[in-house]
Amino acid sequence: MEGLLPGLPRGDAVTAADGVTLLGVRHHGPGSARAVRKALDGIDPAIVLVEGPPEADAVLELAADPGMRPPVALLAHVVDEPSRAGFWPFAEFSPEWAAIRWAAGRGVPVRFIDLPAAHSLLLRDEGDTPQGRHEGREGEEGGAGGDEAGGGPGAGGAEGAAGHVDPLAVLARTAGHDDPERWWEDAVEHRGRGTREGTGDPQAVFEALADAMGALREAYGDGGHPQDALREAHMRLRIREARRGHERVAVVCGAWHVPALARAGGVTADRALLKGLPKAKVEVTWVPWTHRRLSRASGYGAGIDSPGWYRHLFTSPDRPVERWMTKVADLLRAEDLPVSSAHVIEAVRLADALAALRGRPLPGLGETTDAVRAVMCDGSDVPLALIRDRLVVGDVLGEVPEGAPAVPLARDLAREQRRLRMKPAAPEKEVDLDLRKDIDAGRSRLLHRLRLLGIGWGEPVRSRTAATGTFRESWRLRWEPELAVAVAEAGVWGTTVESAATARAEDAAVNAPALAEVTGLAEHCLLAGLPDALPTVMRVLADRAALDVDVAHLAQALPALVRSLRYGDVRGTDAKALREVAAGLAERICVGLPPACAGLDADGATEMRGHVARVQQALALFGDDALRVRWAGALRKLAVRDRGIPGLLRGGAARLLLDDARLDPGEAARLMGMALSRGTEPQEAAAWVEGFLAGGSGMLLVHDERLLALVDGWLKAVPAAAFDDVLPLLRRTFGGFDPGVRRTVGELVRRGPRGAAAGGDATREGLPGFAAEIDEERAEAALAVVRLLLGTGGEGGGRDV
């Protein structure tokens, strides 16, 4: 380490006082972790002090539990305000974790000495960190702002956001390097990397870093983080306490703090600095963490770019490059890419050669990545993205023992996960559930209950492979560490998932601002299997529906109610009350729809068209023929009125009636003729066409040339002065047609409609591929294939198609 910073004066900064050794580290640095482990062997301290919240001392013994598998994090939250929380993550290669495990393995007491979370969680300014409240390591453990050796979050420059100093960037620049990560790898991580414990004097790295940080603190002061003075004052007090009862004390902290801790200071001054700080009651526990959340890309200020790579360096007993290339090859082979042993050998050779050419002591991540790109990926960056996601960062999810403190809701959730065999996992995955199976129905209820509580473990998705229908559900699952905070927050609603979701649904119904939200809650209650919440939700729903006179609100609410009826049938839920409310809503919509559509502007008409279409779908599912007749009557009133109702809605109503076989095609053509007559403004006529052909339903024009002739004739008669105004509407309408439909319509227009234009029947005669009559012989040849595809029989067999 002599050349860490050439010309820097050497000192004795690793010693704060007689019997106290300061080991300044880079958080999540495997080189620092190896050095800490070997230094502790040499020091043999009577007590180990680690940077972290003192409240966590009560759960430190769990670090020795066999069920504790990093990455894990300490979670501290304010009891009365669970959303005010902080995390202190530890990876297998974190120096602090190495110190804790060293002490646990030898029966040496270990204590946390940072500013208590009872103060820091109240002091934190959310604007001071990229991630706000839920990333505690930035404020509590990330040195002067979060980078691993102390300093600010700006990687690659001397100063980061808000003037925070990045010490690695300053040191790298001083040493003549433009890449802080590469400089750190060469100076620290490659030091004795060939073995687990490394070689040489373990104190050398700490002495060099302490000297470097001393120079930086003289130049930059607190590095833009005035709260560090409070943290360092508290750490000095805890170090003094440890000295009184122990002969040898080892302190593991961010290297940025070493100069401040080594400086002799008065107890009175430190206590005065800490006097009067705000304080709250906090609870601390262990939660699983992930490599992905350790990475800088996640917004974690004390993060690293490549946690998976660092873990590999720390755990590889020897030949790390060869072992890494083997992992890469295994991954690419699993993705059906051709990678042989020869590729691995050549990639290792190329990585070694690149390191030599670049003047590096050993190949780093940059050299291995370049070698993999050239040898295994044929120069493509596409497989490299997979390698970075799966290996360089990784989806490792830690585990904590069952005995770790937790809120009652978290314990019940863990029981449910075990009962339903739903182990949380960091990688994103899709699961398909068959609700006819008890275990899948239970999984569905759990996921829906968690969604009601704001715990976003799963998200419903439309499956690309599973069968559709009300008996099927597909979910995308991914467990993020922050969900531990969401579980703690949801604990105010109850001690079990079911009771908490019930209370949350009842509260949301009473305080819902809109009727549609209440109907949505009714649907969620059925999906989540919360029969105790339904009476409250239904009471609020009936009261709101009786008072709400806005047809748009009623139309928004109806589809969710009808879906709830379907889910109630599937899940065996009594939905009689829901049916009564839904029928009442439908009746009121039928009565109020025509006046509600009068006088709407373009935006209002567009919104109402969506409501009308969804009500049509809902009533088709509802299964009440009398209601559908009344609804058809309301649509007919819209379709035939020629004043006051926007053309978009009149055309849309006509199309819905036609599709439902409640409007004769001839009547539809008459309505279109009236809408496209010369007396109608071009913009209004274009809106009618858009409403009639909404949703890309161009096949109607292919099959009914009378309608096509009307549209074509109207379009030809649009005055030149008005054509630019109607063009956007027409492009939006016809642009929604499938390419084949647009091509066929174009052929029909080019040929010119036959029959219909002259008052006769529409035919396709003259259109390529169509004849005046059906060719029975050719049709019979095609029928055999159609029967085979439909499974209704082979040649000449089965029923007619």
Side-chain angles (χ1 to χ4, degrees):
M1 296 299 292
E2 293 288 342
L4 180 67
L5 281 177
L8 187 71
R10 302 297 301 275
D12 194 24
V14 296
T15 302
D18 290 341
V20 178
T21 303
L22 303 175
L23 303 178
V25 300
R26 182 191 190 192
H27 301 306
H28 313 312
S32 292
R34 285 192 300 268
V36 162
R37 205 156 53 184
K38 191 165 185 180
L40 291 175
D41 285 337
I43 299 167
D44 191 22
I47 187 171
V48 176
L49 305 181
V50 177
E51 185 180 328
E55 294 93 339
D57 287 348
V59 297
L60 256 177
E61 62 181 15
L62 291 173
D65 192 297
M68 184 75 79
R69 299 177 183 176
V72 292
L74 287 168
L75 165 62
H77 66 87
V78 177
V79 173
D80 297 330
E81 191 181 354
S83 61
R84 190 178 288 274
F87 293 102
W88 286 259
F90 300 90
E92 186 176 0
F93 48 83
S94 298
E96 300 88 352
W97 184 255
I100 292 170
R101 295 288 293 181
W102 183 94
R106 290 161 179 77
V108 175
V110 59
R111 300 286 184 269
F112 284 119
I113 61 170
D114 205 345
L115 188 68
H119 302 310
S120 61
L121 293 179
L122 298 182
L123 289 172
R124 185 179 308 145
D125 178 9
E126 292 190 29
D128 188 44
T129 66
Q131 58 271 49
R133 290 182 178 178
H134 289 189
E135 290 294 341
R137 189 72 165 258
E138 167 100 9
E140 279 75 36
E141 182 164 301
D147 201 72
E148 296 85 350
E159 290 193 3
H164 300 161
V165 174
D166 181 352
L168 291 190
V170 177
L171 293 177
R173 186 184 61 189
T174 305
H177 293 257
D178 58 0
D179 186 339
E181 289 296 327
R182 177 168 293 189
W183 169 81
W184 179 262
E185 269 196 347
D186 290 347
V188 178
E189 300 307 331
H190 290 165
R191 177 179 169 80
R193 200 182 65 184
T195 65
R196 285 183 184 271
E197 299 304 326
T199 59
D201 180 9
Q203 292 282 13
V205 63
F206 299 115
E207 291 173 356
L209 279 175
D211 292 337
M213 292 302 161
L216 289 178
R217 292 298 293 261
E218 289 182 9
Y220 293 99
D222 60 17
H225 285 264
Q227 272 192 28
D228 275 358
L230 299 175
R231 300 173 58 201
E232 290 159 355
H234 191 272
M235 285 190 260
R236 285 193 295 267
L237 290 174
R238 299 289 79 79
I239 292 171
R240 292 188 186 100
E241 288 178 4
R243 282 177 54 202
R244 287 197 290 268
H246 302 86
E247 183 178 351
R248 296 178 307 281
V249 179
V251 181
V252 180
C253 62
W256 177 262
H257 301 298
V258 169
L261 301 186
R263 185 176 63 248
V267 175
T268 303
D270 287 341
R271 287 177 177 170
L273 192 61
L274 298 172
K275 187 177 181 180
L277 293 180
K279 188 176 182 179
K281 184 179 180 181
V282 301
E283 291 181 348
V284 180
T285 187
W286 291 100
V287 296
W289 204 251
T290 66
H291 275 182
R292 195 170 301 280
R293 293 299 294 136
L294 283 171
S295 70
R296 279 201 185 94
S298 70
Y300 170 43
I304 50 179
D305 291 327
S306 46
W309 167 254
Y310 273 17
R311 179 176 184 269
H312 172 79
L313 292 182
F314 186 70
T315 58
S316 295
D318 55 25
R319 304 169 70 93
V321 176
E322 290 86 344
R323 293 175 182 274
W324 179 258
M325 293 300 184
T326 303
K327 287 183 179 180
V328 172
D330 287 343
L331 174 62
L332 295 179
R333 288 168 186 157
E335 297 295 324
D336 294 328
L337 295 175
V339 179
S340 67
S341 299
H343 285 91
V344 174
I345 295 170
E346 190 58 34
V348 172
R349 289 174 176 170
L350 181 55
D352 288 336
L354 289 172
L357 287 172
R358 295 170 180 175
R360 305 196 68 186
L362 287 170
L365 182 59
E367 286 69 40
T368 58
T369 299
D370 290 343
V372 167
R373 179 191 289 111
V375 178
M376 299 186 189
C377 302
D378 296 325
S380 173
D381 285 335
V382 175
L384 280 181
L386 176 68
I387 294 168
R388 171 163 182 78
D389 184 66
R390 301 276 187 86
L391 294 181
V392 177
V393 176
D395 279 318
V396 178
L397 175 65
E399 297 180 11
V400 300
E402 294 182 9
V407 296
L409 179 63
R411 292 192 180 280
D412 183 68
L413 174 57
R415 284 192 294 267
E416 288 293 292
Q417 289 169 333
R418 289 193 297 270
R419 181 179 68 85
L420 298 170
R421 299 198 294 275
M422 297 180 70
K423 184 177 181 179
E428 184 178 281
K429 66 175 181 179
E430 279 195 18
V431 295
D432 297 313
L433 304 179
D434 184 345
L435 302 183
R436 293 168 294 187
K437 300 178 180 178
D438 289 342
I439 189 168
D440 280 357
R443 290 167 176 169
S444 173
R445 286 192 294 269
L446 175 62
L447 291 171
H448 281 293
R449 288 170 181 176
L450 293 178
R451 290 193 78 213
L452 268 172
L453 291 170
I455 303 170
W457 180 19
E459 177 185 358
V461 295
R462 183 181 296 275
S463 175
R464 294 173 293 181
T465 57
T468 57
T470 55
F471 286 104
R472 298 281 184 178
E473 278 186 355
S474 294
W475 291 80
R476 182 179 294 118
L477 304 182
R478 183 170 187 166
W479 187 267
E480 296 284 1
E482 290 83 351
L483 293 178
V485 177
V487 173
E489 289 181 292
V492 300
W493 297 107
T495 57
T496 67
V497 176
E498 181 177 4
S499 65
T502 297
R504 179 70 183 91
E506 292 174 340
D507 180 79
V510 171
N511 295 292
L515 177 63
E517 293 189 23
V518 184
T519 58
L521 277 169
E523 180 181 11
H524 287 313
C525 287
L526 287 176
L527 293 171
L530 300 175
D532 292 342
L534 269 178
T536 300
V537 175
M538 292 307 304
R539 175 179 55 78
V540 174
L541 176 58
D543 293 344
R544 293 284 185 88
L547 297 175
D548 202 325
V549 297
D550 191 320
V551 172
H553 292 169
L554 301 178
Q556 278 182 300
L558 183 64
L561 276 181
V562 174
R563 287 196 303 269
S564 300
L565 290 171
R566 296 183 72 209
Y567 291 129
D569 293 339
V570 172
R571 298 162 190 264
T573 304
D574 183 8
K576 181 180 178 181
L578 280 175
R579 176 171 287 275
E580 293 176 356
V581 174
L585 285 181
E587 291 279 6
R588 295 174 60 195
I589 292 170
C590 292
V591 173
L593 181 64
C597 293
L600 293 177
D601 59 12
D603 291 338
T606 300
E607 182 179 355
M608 184 62 76
R609 182 185 66 173
H611 295 326
V612 170
R614 286 187 285 273
V615 170
Q616 171 89 352
Q617 296 170 354
L619 291 179
L621 295 174
F622 192 59
D624 188 320
D625 292 337
L627 266 179
R628 294 189 66 185
V629 170
R630 284 192 284 277
W631 173 247
L635 291 179
R636 182 173 289 275
K637 290 180 181 178
L638 290 184
V640 301
R641 290 179 62 172
D642 58 355
R643 292 290 182 271
I645 305 296
L648 184 72
L649 294 175
R650 289 188 287 115
R655 179 57 187 272
L656 291 176
L657 290 170
L658 182 64
D659 289 345
D660 205 26
R662 297 181 185 275
L663 186 67
D664 182 81
E667 178 70 6
R670 185 185 69 82
L671 291 174
M672 178 179 281
M674 293 172 58
L676 303 184
S677 64
R678 292 182 180 274
T680 306
E681 291 291 332
Q683 292 89 341
E684 185 69 10
W688 196 98
V689 172
E690 182 184 4
F692 191 76
L693 299 177
S697 308
M699 287 301 295
L700 187 65
L701 298 181
V702 173
H703 291 291
D704 194 332
E705 294 191 32
R706 289 173 298 181
L707 299 180
L708 178 60
L710 287 169
V711 174
D712 187 39
W714 164 75
L715 190 56
K716 291 177 182 177
V718 173
F723 188 78
D724 288 346
D725 294 331
V726 302
L727 184 60
L729 293 175
L730 294 174
R731 296 185 71 171
R732 184 168 60 201
T733 301
F734 289 93
F737 295 174
D738 291 334
V741 173
R742 287 201 302 268
R743 185 168 55 251
T744 303
V745 170
E747 289 287 346
L748 287 170
V749 171
R750 180 183 62 79
R751 173 182 59 81
R754 309 275 183 131
D761 293 334
T763 71
R764 296 182 180 82
E765 185 179 359
L767 183 65
F770 292 98
E773 301 293 337
I774 295 177
D775 188 327
E776 297 287 349
E777 184 177 352
R778 295 178 66 188
E780 182 61 32
L783 280 175
V785 178
V786 173
R787 292 190 187 102
L788 187 62
L789 292 174
L790 296 178
T792 58
E795 293 186 8
R799 56 178 182 156
D800 290 339
V801 178

